[in-house]
Amino acid sequence: MVLHSTVTLLLFLSLFLAPRSPSPSISSPLPNADDLPTSDDKLSEIYAPFDSIRTDLEDYAWPTEASTVLTSGFAEFRNTHFHAGIDISTWNRTGYKVFAARDGYIARIRISPYGYGKMLYVRHADGYYTTYAHLQRFNDSIDEYARVWQYKNGRYTLDLELPPNEIPVRKGDVIAYSGDTGIGSPHLHFEIRDERLNPVNPFLVPLFAELVEDTTPPEFQEIVFTPLHYSAIVQGDHRPWIARVKRQARQTTVGLARQTAVGQARNQYQLEDVAHLTGPIGIGVKAFDRANHSYHRNSIRTFELYVDSLLLYTARLDRFPADESKQIALYYDWGLLQRGKGRFQKLYIEPGNRLPVYDRLPEGSGILQPSLFAEGMHTLRIIATDGRGHSSELRGTIVLNHPPAFDLTTVDKTLYLKPASTSTIEAIRLSWQHGKSWVTQRLPLTALTSTEHGYLLPTKSATPAILRIEAENRFGTTSAPHFVVPGTARRNRVSLTIKEEFYRDYVYLTITAPSAFLQKPRVMVGSQQQPLSALAKDPRTYIATVPLQAVNNNVLLISIEGETAGGIAEERLEIPIYPITPERGGTISVNDELTVYFPPDAVYQPVFIRVARTNNGYTLLPSDIVLNKGATAEYYLTDASRERLGVFIAEGSGWRLAAHDPTGISRTLTGRFTRQLGGVALFHDYSAPSISRFTSSYRRGRLSFSFRLSDTGSGIDYDRTRLTINGELLIAEYDPYRHHVKFDERRDLPAGTYHLVIEAFDRMGNRSLSKHRVSVPSR
């Protein structure tokens, strides 16, 4: 389904317009071009390579005898990429036959201690590829071919491209045996890739869809509504709101009805609470699919998002570009993931997203803009469909409008409420503090007396108790509370507690005073004369959001003033912020020690970076920013001892050595952030690798040995590590995840004692040497 062209034009020309707000306008140093919809030419460039599938999907055969049970599906979430294929269960065992899925030839042999381990690429006559990974070993002829090149290169790792018909294969030939090389437990990883090596969903192959039994529709768990502008509001707050959903009666079909209704019956889910939304809002869902006979949670193939009858967003995971797979951090909500809230699929297209999975919808699609809809209640529908056509639907009610706004004035000790010109107030709630609880009275606005000063409130401003006043409109949307606190401010100074939470393009401030505020605190940004809007949470606590676009000369200056029952408070925040844009890139310099260069197109969308000092270096935040062309970090070395000193980049839960100078002469070291921002630090590494638990044997002409190899610093350099027996090179197999090395190869050795030498290096150049004797008995 495609949006009507007129609706599309109206919708996306206004997607990033700021909502109506009493807050001051904030000028931005960033270009406005990124706020515009994606051009038709840009969309054509993105989608053209994926417009058709130019292969015979009927010609593929299942690639293994192990099983037809999946342990991972296509395009599933990985920390740094989409899963490019499917994982087939081998029941936690190795050695099952792996078959060529089609006629073709071995186009590439890859062997690595990491990632996919031992892997084969088979190229077919139409230019498409199938790949097979985590293999225990290849068939005898391919194994021998690979070993020759390993010894020729003098190392275990191998990435070899073969000419056509060097090693031809026929569909059904045994080309390898399943294993557990690389990362993960035993399984077979299988892919279909197009002429450009872009992954294709294997379950587009009819035979595969039939073999893998799946009668289970997708399941929804939670939904999130995320403010996408500093003034946007969800449920009365500026932070994302996560809500659980309730599953309703499940529909089933039986007998002849199943033949016509399969794929159309939907499991129904319901958002239990009404969501009140103001401003640009992005929706995300936590959902999964599951095949029969497997507990593994697969990704959803297709999502559709509707408001009333209008389709705002659709995504279909059938193909994705291999070189843009890291944009998974734009497809999922990375910020929520890093906050420990779980994995939410975004149902909107952020600026810079170049994945060809959205049916040519432009950037900004899916974002809820209340200005595009009549104010009031609307029906939200989200449909999730798996690869077999089973669908589930999540429904909910959303209210798109602005919370009612009003001012309070006091005349002759009498309190009046004056609605803002843009607000329609149906009723007010008056609450008096009674101990630790509140006593509330709801009054229709028509029950109040209208005067020249506003609506007369049935209370005196001199009331000794704290008074809370809220307004609600006809849609049930409630304003933030206003508090009337009796007393006058003392002239002494008090301190405020300010908590900062950073979101994509604004900072969320929680402002807490030691006693109740007598009036709303003033939050000022830079030289702006008009305060930003602050919302009360309780008499002592207010929240405010400050746009990071207000940064000036890489500093966001925020002033907070307030009068409290305990005294006058004044606070000043100076937050270093570095704007980086796709058009210009940018440079960050910190303490004449660290400089980070962002070239043009380093990032997919404008970002605002902060730098935090750590014990050994710095952290660049937010770490959920996905990088396009990456960034270069240049570290000036002030440490007098530069020997065995390296620049390390944080990756996952560990550190990767990015650069070091073996000579210890250089005053600067340069490393790179390749996928995401994070930590950069200096560490010394004087520790050589550890070699232990050596065992060996020679039986029936086969030399076998194994040992443990580990390193606690920069990590093993497997390409420099060498094993020799009486000076002759041996190529062993490495498993870095288990810290295990093994060798098992036919060797014609005369009886006697042989000297086996293990020379291991880490990436910093530290060396370990271990010598062993291997006895070959007489035959």
Side-chain angles (χ1 to χ4, degrees):
M1 286 176 279
V2 181
L3 291 175
H4 190 277
S5 59
T6 302
V7 175
T8 303
L9 179 62
L10 292 174
L11 180 61
F12 298 113
L13 284 179
S14 56
L15 275 173
F16 290 94
L17 294 177
R20 291 172 292 180
S21 172
S23 300
S25 61
I26 300 294
S27 60
S28 171
L30 302 178
N32 294 323
D34 290 298
D35 291 346
L36 298 177
T38 318
S39 67
D40 289 340
D41 289 343
K42 185 64 176 178
L43 286 172
S44 295
E45 178 185 337
I46 292 171
Y47 279 86
F50 303 92
D51 276 342
S52 62
I53 295 178
R54 293 170 290 276
T55 189
D56 182 3
L57 294 172
E58 302 285 348
D59 188 40
Y60 289 78
W62 190 251
T64 182
E65 65 175 353
S67 77
T68 57
V69 175
L70 295 191
T71 58
S72 289
F74 179 74
E76 282 189 10
F77 174 88
R78 297 293 185 267
N79 283 330
T80 58
H81 61 279
F82 287 101
H83 191 232
I86 58 174
D87 289 344
I88 302 170
S89 173
T90 61
W91 313 114
N92 208 34
R93 297 195 293 269
T94 62
Y96 286 101
K97 293 178 181 177
V98 175
F99 309 115
R102 301 176 72 198
D103 293 352
Y105 68 90
I106 304 297
R108 189 177 183 184
I109 302 173
R110 293 180 65 184
I111 300 175
S112 171
Y114 303 100
Y116 286 129
K118 293 184 178 180
M119 184 177 189
L120 291 177
Y121 289 67
V122 177
R123 193 173 193 270
H124 309 290
D126 55 16
Y128 271 55
Y129 296 80
T130 50
T131 74
Y132 316 77
H134 305 300
L135 303 170
Q136 178 191 55
R137 61 184 179 90
F138 311 130
N139 70 21
D140 290 345
S141 61
I142 300 173
D143 228 16
E144 181 59 29
Y145 191 93
R147 293 294 283 176
V148 168
W149 278 96
Q150 284 178 309
Y151 276 101
K152 184 176 181 179
N153 295 338
R155 59 179 181 265
Y156 174 71
T157 58
L158 181 68
D159 192 352
L160 183 65
E161 295 186 10
L162 282 66
N165 300 319
E166 179 82 1
I167 304 181
V169 297
R170 303 287 292 177
K171 179 163 66 173
D173 283 354
V174 176
I175 57 174
Y177 297 86
S178 68
D180 60 354
T181 54
I183 191 169
S185 57
H187 68 279
L188 174 65
H189 175 85
F190 173 78
E191 300 172 351
I192 297 175
R193 293 184 178 244
D194 66 15
E195 310 96 325
R196 299 176 181 86
L197 291 173
N198 296 313
V200 178
N201 190 346
F203 285 98
L204 296 176
V205 174
L207 173 64
F208 292 2
E210 291 177 10
L211 287 175
V212 177
E213 187 178 356
D214 180 4
T215 59
T216 306
E219 296 182 34
F220 288 100
Q221 292 179 296
E222 293 177 315
I223 185 170
V224 62
F225 298 88
T226 301
L228 298 180
H229 187 272
Y230 77 96
S231 61
I233 300 173
V234 177
Q235 299 298 76
D237 204 345
H238 298 291
R239 288 185 288 195
W241 176 58
I242 297 175
R244 293 196 64 84
V245 299
K246 181 180 180 181
R247 185 173 184 174
Q248 297 183 320
R250 179 177 178 179
Q251 299 178 10
T252 59
T253 55
V254 294
L256 294 176
R258 180 178 178 82
Q259 298 177 16
T260 58
V262 65
Q264 298 176 9
R266 293 173 180 157
N267 278 335
Q268 300 293 326
Y269 293 78
Q270 183 71 36
L271 172 64
E272 294 184 283
D273 298 318
V274 175
H276 294 261
L277 312 174
T278 302
I281 305 297
I283 295 177
V285 290
K286 188 187 295 183
F288 64 90
D289 185 45
R290 183 179 284 150
N292 295 18
H293 315 300
S294 175
Y295 290 101
H296 183 80
R297 294 182 173 184
N298 302 314
S299 59
I300 307 295
R301 182 190 180 196
T302 302
F303 278 107
E304 295 170 296
L305 168 67
Y306 294 85
V307 172
D308 301 327
S309 59
L310 181 63
L311 174 65
L312 296 185
Y313 168 95
T314 184
R316 181 178 295 103
L317 288 176
D318 280 343
R319 304 176 70 183
F320 60 83
D323 57 355
E324 296 290 355
S325 181
K326 61 185 175 183
Q327 287 201 53
I328 190 168
L330 300 178
Y331 190 77
Y332 288 92
D333 194 317
W334 220 257
L336 288 177
L337 181 66
Q338 293 202 330
R339 286 181 168 90
K341 303 300 183 181
R343 191 163 65 240
F344 284 85
Q345 155 75 55
K346 292 178 182 175
L347 302 184
Y348 56 96
I349 308 173
E350 286 194 292
N353 188 328
R354 297 202 291 264
L355 292 171
V357 300
Y358 303 110
D359 284 356
R360 292 182 177 266
L361 293 178
E363 293 174 1
S365 297
I367 296 176
L368 298 187
Q369 280 284 359
S371 60
L372 303 175
F373 300 91
E375 287 211 347
M377 292 189 176
H378 297 270
T379 299
L380 177 72
R381 295 171 54 229
I382 301 169
I383 299 173
T385 306
D386 67 14
R388 296 297 298 273
H390 306 115
S391 294
S392 294
E393 182 177 87
L394 169 60
R395 283 179 173 263
T397 299
I398 58 176
V399 175
L400 302 175
N401 71 342
H402 293 76
F406 62 89
D407 292 318
L408 296 175
T409 59
T410 301
V411 179
D412 296 332
K413 296 185 179 182
T414 301
L415 198 59
Y416 296 90
L417 179 147
K418 187 175 183 178
S421 59
T422 57
S423 291
T424 301
I425 296 177
E426 289 282 306
I428 64 167
R429 298 177 189 169
L430 295 178
S431 304
W432 291 265
Q433 197 168 30
H434 182 70
K436 293 184 178 180
S437 60
W438 293 85
V439 177
T440 301
Q441 180 184 13
R442 184 181 185 276
L443 297 171
L445 195 66
T446 55
L448 303 180
T449 301
S450 179
T451 74
E452 61 178 323
H453 304 298
Y455 289 91
L456 175 64
L457 294 176
T459 182
K460 298 291 185 181
S461 61
T463 300
I466 295 177
L467 178 67
R468 184 177 69 197
I469 304 168
E470 299 161 294
E472 63 181 56
N473 63 20
R474 63 191 179 94
F475 305 114
T477 302
T478 304
S479 70
H482 288 229
F483 291 95
V484 179
V485 179
T488 57
R490 299 176 184 176
R491 306 321 297 170
N492 57 298
R493 299 285 180 177
V494 297
S495 297
L496 301 175
T497 300
I498 302 174
K499 179 183 177 183
E500 305 165 9
E501 295 178 52
F502 288 89
Y503 291 88
R504 185 179 64 172
D505 54 6
Y506 63 89
V507 56
Y508 179 104
L509 302 177
T510 302
I511 305 163
T512 305
S515 57
F517 282 98
L518 298 180
Q519 59 185 6
K520 181 186 298 186
R522 290 167 53 86
V523 181
M524 312 291 291
V525 181
S527 60
Q528 296 286 337
Q529 297 301 308
Q530 185 179 353
L532 294 172
S533 175
L535 303 179
K537 287 302 188 182
D538 59 55
R540 295 175 51 237
T541 306
Y542 280 75
I543 61 170
T545 52
V546 179
L548 299 180
Q549 289 95 334
V551 63
N552 185 23
N553 293 325
N554 296 332
V555 175
L556 184 64
L557 180 62
I558 305 172
S559 300
I560 303 172
E561 303 171 356
E563 294 184 0
T564 74
I568 297 174
E570 292 183 0
E571 300 289 348
R572 181 183 175 94
L573 303 177
E574 294 187 15
I575 307 174
I577 298 288
Y578 302 89
I580 306 295
T581 68
E583 293 78 17
R584 298 192 300 265
T587 300
I588 297 174
S589 295
V590 187
N591 299 334
D592 295 325
E593 185 177 27
L594 175 68
T595 303
V596 184
Y597 300 97
F598 294 82
D601 290 326
V603 294
Y604 288 103
Q605 56 189 233
V607 297
F608 301 89
I609 296 175
R610 313 182 308 282
V611 181
R613 194 71 167 95
T614 61
N615 290 336
N616 296 92
Y618 300 88
T619 296
L620 274 64
L621 301 168
S623 56
D624 60 347
I625 294 298
V626 60
L627 300 175
N628 181 15
K629 291 188 176 179
T632 300
E634 187 177 275
Y635 221 120
Y636 180 75
L637 305 180
T638 58
D639 194 326
S641 174
R642 297 192 296 276
E643 185 181 4
R644 307 296 187 198
L645 181 66
V647 169
F648 288 75
I649 301 291
E651 285 191 352
S653 59
W655 293 88
R656 168 179 59 85
L657 177 65
H660 79 287
D661 177 18
T663 66
I665 297 174
S666 177
R667 296 295 303 182
T668 59
L669 292 177
T670 301
R672 281 189 56 76
F673 293 98
T674 56
R675 292 185 178 271
Q676 289 176 275
L677 297 178
V680 54
L682 293 175
F683 294 110
H684 286 281
D685 180 7
Y686 300 108
S687 301
S690 170
I691 302 170
S692 61
R693 303 179 188 176
F694 179 85
T695 61
S696 66
S697 66
Y698 184 83
R699 296 188 182 92
R700 299 179 181 178
R702 297 194 71 87
L703 173 64
S704 301
F705 61 84
S706 67
F707 57 91
R708 179 178 172 82
L709 178 62
S710 62
D711 186 76
T712 57
S714 55
I716 302 295
D717 185 343
Y718 292 100
D719 285 344
R720 290 188 64 191
T721 295
R722 289 177 57 85
L723 289 76
T724 59
I725 187 165
N726 282 13
E728 183 180 353
L729 179 68
L730 302 176
I731 301 293
E733 184 172 303
Y734 301 98
D735 186 341
Y737 306 101
R738 299 181 179 89
H739 309 293
H740 186 254
V741 181
K742 67 178 180 180
F743 179 89
D744 184 14
E745 190 176 286
R746 181 167 292 281
R747 287 270 164 169
D748 187 13
L749 299 178
T753 299
Y754 292 80
H755 299 280
L756 192 146
V757 178
I758 304 169
E759 186 181 23
F761 291 87
D762 65 14
R763 293 189 177 97
M764 194 69 78
N766 297 304
R767 172 178 176 264
S768 289
L769 191 67
S770 182
K771 299 180 179 180
H772 304 271
R773 292 183 177 181
V774 177
S775 296
V776 176
S778 300
R779 298 177 183 176

